[in-house]
Amino acid sequence: MNHSILAIIATAALTTFASAETSVKLSGVHLCCKSCVVGAEKAVSKAKGVTAAVDKDGGTVTLTGADKAAVQSGVDALVAAGYYGKSDSADV
């Protein structure tokens, strides 16, 4: 009985850990018009498993992915397309 309870707790903890997402917010990104917003979204869409929330008025792009490596690939795609900003993460 005790082993079953421990197994359930361990499984729940590992499932929570495995499903954790990583996000990074880039501020000061040049997003002056709809074309810039679409371009930034299109650039990030090339990174597998990464989504972007683009805030034109705030000049920010928030990238979310499964882990740091995925988010970094999204940032790299954004920079390759000519969009730059200051990251809120020292790691990405």
Side-chain angles (χ1 to χ4, degrees), residues 13-91:
L14 289 173
T15 302
T16 301
F17 178 73
S19 65
E21 291 186 329
T22 300
S23 291
V24 65
K25 186 175 188 176
L26 303 175
S27 58
V29 180
H30 178 86
L31 299 167
C32 69
C33 63
K34 183 172 173 103
S35 291
C36 290
V37 171
V38 170
E41 291 171 339
K42 184 177 177 182
V44 174
S45 73
K46 295 177 182 177
K48 185 178 178 184
V50 180
T51 59
V54 179
D55 178 6
K56 178 183 168 282
D57 296 330
T60 64
V61 178
T62 303
L63 301 152
T64 304
D67 54 27
K68 184 180 120 180
V71 173
Q72 183 65 60
S73 70
V75 171
D76 293 344
L78 196 62
V79 169
Y83 297 92
Y84 302 89
K86 180 175 170 126
S87 174
D88 68 352
S89 169
D91 294 332

Side-chain angles (χ1 to χ4, degrees), residues 1-12:
M1 177 78 171
N2 287 337
H3 294 292
S4 297
I5 293 171
L6 288 175
I8 292 170
I9 293 171
T11 301

